[in-house]
Amino acid sequence: MAKQMRIGVLTGGGDCPGLNAVLRAVVKTAINDYDMSVIGFKDGYEGLVLDNYIALDKDSVSGILSRGGTILGTSNRADPFKFPILQKDKYVYLDRSADLVNNYQKLGLDSLIVIGGDGTMSAAGPLCDLGINMIGVPKTIDNDLYGTDRTFGFDSAVATATEAIDKIHTTAQAHHRVMIIEVMGRYAGWLALASGLAGGGDIILIPEIPYDIDAICEKIKERKSIGRNFSIIVVGEGAKPEGGEMVIKRMIENSPDAIRLGGISRLIGEQIEELTKLETRVTILGHLVRGGSPTAFDRLLATRYGCEAVRLVSEKKFGNMVALKGDDLVSVPLSEVSGKSRNVPLDSDLIKVALSTGVSLGVTREKLEELAN
Ligand code: F6P
């Protein structure tokens, strides 16, 4: 009789809605379709390095489909190749990949499914080379992971940000104010662009298009001249002025990408007030968009990803990440995903839609064409 396969699963990097839906699908598919057993590591790669895990069965994943966060916990500071250890109030970094491999072997695992973003996938490539049978599942509210058209978590974040923009809209209108809403997304503008369009933003600023403050003020004044006494500006946290820099909120010493962005909207707000003399207010949504229940779209995508990941394990197609191309599930080699990101292309449909519907992207059309060519 063939040996029962045993798989490990972990959730790494910043959390997002839908992580639990993937875990549920992994466990159910493993048990129902393949008679495999599953264990879950706590807090991302940290759990595998430190041998901290729990058995996952159908009971442990019951009722978690709609729950935000992750029942396993997560960490964006647990790179096994640069593992932080606190020594006398100071972090030192050790390569703990050998401990990870030892624990994987000791537990008799046949495969490891990692659910994460670029940090998690970048470590996954080198771990394949150390003999771990890796499968990746792409998550992030930023939607910036290379190799897939869509990460789960993005749709939920767009829905939450859109709801917030709708609410800001009514108070903007009532007070005749310029209202700026800043959303996360790191170096990619997907979240700002999608929620800005869905929420009817008048101006949308994304990292891919460095803005011109005069073009922004021009749009606000143009609106005022036709009786629109308020304006909604949606800003991605990575937005920057032409020739300027992104605003760094803080540095996280022991994180694979130490930079944490945030606060550009305050700068923009001050400049708008000074240049237009219009009252301006700023709301930074921050981690709010990472919380809460996944949308139906994300529940479905996360479930499809989880089932597909286990199918890849059963077919021994290791070293791949499940991905979405159009509406089809495909797999992409982890080596292709590692260290890359996916930004909003300037010729993308969403950019065209913004322009056709009169949304300003913070630059003149001529400038945008120049950037696109
Ligand atoms: O990658 C997801 C994300 O939420 C980014 O949009 C944001 O820049 C970052 O994580 C925030 O990280 P942290 O949770 O460490 O503050």
Side-chain angles (χ1 to χ4, degrees), residues 17-21 24 61-69 291-295 299:
L19 287 165
N20 285 324
R24 173 178 172 273
V61 295
S62 170
I64 66 169
L65 174 63
S66 60
R67 246 162 73 185
S293 189
T295 56
R299 292 180 202 190

Side-chain angles (χ1 to χ4, degrees), residues 17 141 150 153-167 183 190-192 194-196 198-199 285 288-298:
I141 60 160
R150 196 50 95 91
F154 174 66
D155 188 68
S156 307
V158 171
T160 302
T162 302
E163 198 185 332
I165 297 166
D166 285 349
K167 292 195 165 142
V183 296
W190 296 107
L191 183 53
S195 61
L285 297 184
L288 184 83
V289 298
R290 273 195 0 209
S293 189
T295 56
F297 180 92
D298 271 341

Side-chain angles (χ1 to χ4, degrees), residues 14 76 140-142 184-186 237 252 260-261 287 290:
N76 52 14
T140 168
I141 60 160
D142 304 336
M184 282 184 164
R186 280 211 305 187
E237 63 179 356
I252 307 288
R260 293 294 180 276
L261 299 167
H287 292 82
R290 273 195 0 209

Side-chain angles (χ1 to χ4, degrees), residues 274-330:
E274 199 184 303
L275 294 168
T276 65
K277 309 294 173 220
L278 294 170
E279 217 181 16
T280 304
R281 294 288 188 271
V282 169
T283 306
I284 300 179
L285 297 184
H287 292 82
L288 184 83
V289 298
R290 273 195 0 209
S293 189
T295 56
F297 180 92
D298 271 341
R299 292 180 202 190
L300 202 54
L301 181 61
T303 301
R304 290 175 75 195
Y305 277 162
C307 295
E308 184 65 12
V310 178
R311 257 194 290 280
L312 290 183
V313 172
S314 78
E315 291 165 10
K316 299 197 168 52
K317 290 192 174 148
F318 304 123
N320 284 301
M321 180 183 85
V322 297
L324 197 69
K325 285 279 169 231
D327 196 38
D328 294 329
L329 286 184
V330 295

Side-chain angles (χ1 to χ4, degrees), residues 123-146:
L127 287 174
C128 293
D129 299 336
L130 296 179
I132 309 267
N133 294 328
M134 307 286 296
I135 299 290
V137 177
K139 70 91 226 194
T140 168
I141 60 160
D142 304 336
N143 201 33
D144 63 347
L145 206 59
Y146 187 84

